[in-house]
Amino acid sequence: MRILLARWLAGVLLALALVGPALAQSPESTLNALLGEVRAGMPANCDAPEADALVRVLCSGHLRVGVRDSYPLFATVQDGERHGYDIDVARAIAQRLGVEPVWIPVKPATRISTLAEGGADVVIATMGHNTRRDAEATFIRPHYYQSETTIVGPKSIQIHSWDDLFNRTVCTTIGNYANARIVSRDVRVMLYDAAGRLPEALRDGTCRLAAQDDSFFAAYLAQDGFGDQFERKFGFDQVPWGMAVAADGADGLAQALELVSLIMHRDGGFLEIAQRDGIFTEFLQSQQALFNNPECIGAAGFAAPDCLIPALEADPPPTAFLPQVEAFLAWTKDTFGVSPALPMLMTQPAWDLFIAGVVNSLILVAGALAATLAFALFVGFISALPYRPVRFLAWLVVVTLQSSPVLLTLVVVTAVAQALFTYSSAVALGAAIVALGLMNGCNAGQAIGEAAESIRRERGLGRGLTMPLFGAAVSRSLTQLLSFLVNAAKGTPVASFTGAPELLAALTDITSFAAGRVATYTIVLVFYMIVVWFVVWVCNRVRARIERTGAGA
Amino acid sequence: MITLMQLLKSDYPADLASAMVVNFQIAGLALAIGLALGFPLALALAGGKGWRRAVAPVLGILRAAPTFVVMFFLLNVIPRDFAIAGIPLAPSGAMIVALSLAPYAASYVGDNGSDAIRALRQGSPDRALLFLPNIVRAFFVLVMSSSTGAAIGVNEGVSVVLRQAEHWPDLGDKLVVFAIGVLAFGIVFQAGFALMRLSVAWLGRRRRTGQTGQTGV
């Protein structure tokens, strides 16, 4: 029966296309013909179990619209009345179809499932149209709106492009599809679990910059208190918003809605509603201009395919070994009842980030150990010299570094590096190595200097510094030196704060656009603990060897 | 010089001072947790070989846990709506920083506490009392370490320094902002260590007085 109805609708449209330009060229005539054919079959077709959603809508006189409850400017409820762009669009569409809208509250998580379960005829609920959702529902094109991710920050900060964001921190929400783009531009992310926390974080200074859909920030930027202080810096990653109908049994309704959308774009209906509701209108203005071009109206009155925006590509490429990973996860699920989420093994971008993170972490640890040793010997040598001014200088540097919190030292060294070199991830890594080496090496160097002084006192030596004395001082302060080497290894994850692309930073980036935070952060914790254990083990082996050598000598 | 004067006249010093109170709160909380967790470890370490073997892996894990990673781990693992019997128990950012510092604090208390217990058993209460200045040292190390909270949006001292630095585009001006921050933390840190040295010296004098039979009255 459903197939018959679909064939019948297709036949109607084909006939309209063949009748000739005089009858079937405008969207209005196509829509009227489509609605007329359905009404002609009423009420006989109304009770047909396989009836298209359009038949049900026209028979019942009601269009059940899935809408959100609390999305400022788009869909809100005040005193029992619904307001906003989505609501007004739904009213206009229902009016065009000659029916009454019935509101069905939906949430982001239930938008598509409500359609699939037959709980609504259409969903108009701030829903981005992407390739992943294309398989789950039929999206109506032309799209009724388009948003973009926007960077918002204080007016006092000059941010115009990605270059200005380099190595800055941007607050965003977990799972935001735009995060992948943000982290790919070497911008650090601070993650929040809900968009509603971002404006407050901007106000109290916790965040200097925030990234979120422009439709979300529009309401806040319209407020005097917020809008006076903050502004939109720039936007990226445009997402077309689609109203959607069920994937099955709604072909007729989808065609009717496509025609209504086309008419509303061409005649400025969407634009008028948007202006009334105070939302951004650039997209709607461009669509109005587009669909006033006769080339964008196809033969049957529908929009020409070339004039339609494709669904956003939302599926990153999978890894080559994804089937094996999925098989393993299925096995763990069957065997243990649970399976960890391993986003770093699922998609190629996440896998690349993960491998780079591991490699960079190991480079960072090795570099920090080498730098700590080098600074320790250098500061130790300076501290053991007989010249008081030089010793005082070394003491001053050590005290300053001891007085500076680790994060602050890291930021200062990175700022200096940024002034000297063209900033890059490699420079961030290098700056972190220098900072960690300075902090730990200076402390160890101070211990060497003190050891040299104690040896002089014990042996009644003069102020001069000889290599045997220096060697003995290093040997005496070995415990301190090794403990600061371990400390340097433990401190390496801090480098993620200044944009060094080590494992913690990489996994934070991965979890910003993929699920599985618990497993991911467990992996990073275990990784660093193994690294520290290994460093401790190596240090103990070195100490044992030196002590054996000393005993043998 | 102009930058320095402008900064000193602005809200920056006051904001920094009030934000550093958060560093002290975090350090105090971390130390309290560290004492609670570390005391049983200290008792075990000061016990027999069996006890020492039993707690060695625990101490190894506590010593090897990098604070910064633990902080992110806790931040991402504890649900935001975490509750028991309807009572919301999701920790604040500052609490998460304190919890991330707890492994270090607990291992430190365990190590130093076991030394103190052994000293008491050997009839050397004065040496055991060195535990107190060591705890003071740990507290000030924790104050410095609590600056990691800036990475998860905790409004503590370093956060204020970094926010202020963003207002100054020139590196020279930024360095002045950083220098004031380092000075503020430095005063606290060095004062803490001076206090610790004084208390160690006092304990030394007390021990010497005890050894010579003087009462000090």
Side-chain angles (χ1 to χ4, degrees), chain A residues 193 205-206 208 490 517, chain B residues 63 76 80 144 153 163 166:
Chain A
D193 53 354
T206 304
R208 296 297 283 158
K490 271 179 80 172
R517 287 192 295 161
Chain B
R63 288 187 193 121
N76 286 280
R80 285 276 163 201
M144 301 297 276
R163 273 209 302 275
E166 282 195 347

Side-chain angles (χ1 to χ4, degrees), chain B residues 35-110:
Chain B
L35 283 165
L37 294 174
F39 188 65
L41 290 172
L43 285 172
L45 279 173
K49 192 181 278 188
W51 278 108
R52 280 202 298 277
R53 278 191 181 159
V55 297
V58 177
L59 270 167
I61 289 169
L62 292 174
R63 288 187 193 121
T67 299
F68 204 70
V69 179
V70 173
M71 183 176 74
F72 273 89
F73 175 79
L74 294 171
L75 183 73
N76 286 280
V77 166
I78 302 171
R80 285 276 163 201
D81 53 357
F82 182 62
I84 294 176
I87 303 161
L89 292 171
S92 64
M95 184 64 176
I96 281 172
V97 181
L99 287 170
S100 71
L101 291 167
Y104 161 78
S107 63
Y108 186 92
V109 169

Side-chain angles (χ1 to χ4, degrees), chain A residues 39 99 104 156 225 228 277 284 413 426 447 456 493 550:
Chain A
R39 288 193 179 109
V99 295
I104 309 293
S156 57
D228 294 344
D277 287 315
L284 298 174
V413 173
R456 280 195 188 103

Side-chain angles (χ1 to χ4, degrees), chain A residues 1 16 111 145 158 220-221 235 255 257 266 279 289-290 295 305 312 317 343 387 389 409 448-449 509 514 534 550:
Chain A
M1 187 68 181
L16 287 167
R111 288 180 294 205
Y145 194 64
Q158 295 300 307
Y220 290 94
L221 291 169
Q255 286 166 344
L257 293 175
R266 188 198 61 196
I279 61 171
L290 185 74
E295 288 179 15
L312 191 77
Y387 316 113
T409 305
I448 293 170
D509 290 347
F534 179 73

Side-chain angles (χ1 to χ4, degrees), chain A residues 8-9 11-17 19 23-41 54 58 255-256 259 300 302:
Chain A
W8 165 71
L9 279 166
V12 168
L13 294 169
L14 183 65
L16 287 167
V19 165
L23 280 175
Q25 291 310 302
S26 76
E28 282 89 344
S29 59
T30 308
L31 177 65
N32 291 336
L34 179 61
L35 297 179
E37 287 293 335
V38 173
R39 288 193 179 109
L54 180 62
L58 296 185
Q255 286 166 344
L259 291 162
F302 287 90

Side-chain angles (χ1 to χ4, degrees), chain A residues 156-157 168-169 174 190-193 197 204-208 399-408 411-412 415-416 419 486 489-491 493-497 504 508 511 517-518 521-522 524-526 528-529 532-533, chain B residues 57 60-70 72-73 75-77 80-81 104 143-145 147-156 158-159 161-163 166-167 171 174-175 178 181-187 189-190:
Chain A
S156 57
I157 299 179
R168 281 182 177 270
T169 300
I174 295 156
M190 188 184 287
L191 299 173
Y192 283 78
D193 53 354
R197 295 179 61 203
D204 68 22
T206 304
C207 294
R208 296 297 283 158
V399 166
T400 303
L401 284 162
Q402 281 176 342
S403 302
S404 176
V406 58
L407 222 55
L408 199 51
V411 169
V412 173
V416 172
V486 172
K490 271 179 80 172
V494 178
S496 64
F497 185 71
L504 178 61
T508 300
T511 55
R517 287 192 295 161
V518 174
Y521 281 96
T522 304
V524 77
L525 183 62
V526 170
Y528 272 112
M529 285 175 81
V532 173
W533 266 323
Chain B
I61 289 169
L62 292 174
R63 288 187 193 121
T67 299
F68 204 70
V69 179
V70 173
F72 273 89
F73 175 79
L75 183 73
N76 286 280
V77 166
R80 285 276 163 201
D81 53 357
Y104 161 78
V143 169
M144 301 297 276
S145 302
S147 68
T148 52
I152 60 165
V154 177
N155 193 31
E156 49 66 71
V158 170
S159 299
V161 174
L162 299 181
R163 273 209 302 275
E166 282 195 347
H167 290 295
L171 177 64
K174 278 186 200 288
L175 290 177
F178 294 144
V182 171
L183 185 70
F185 274 97
I187 289 167
F189 189 71
Q190 297 301 337

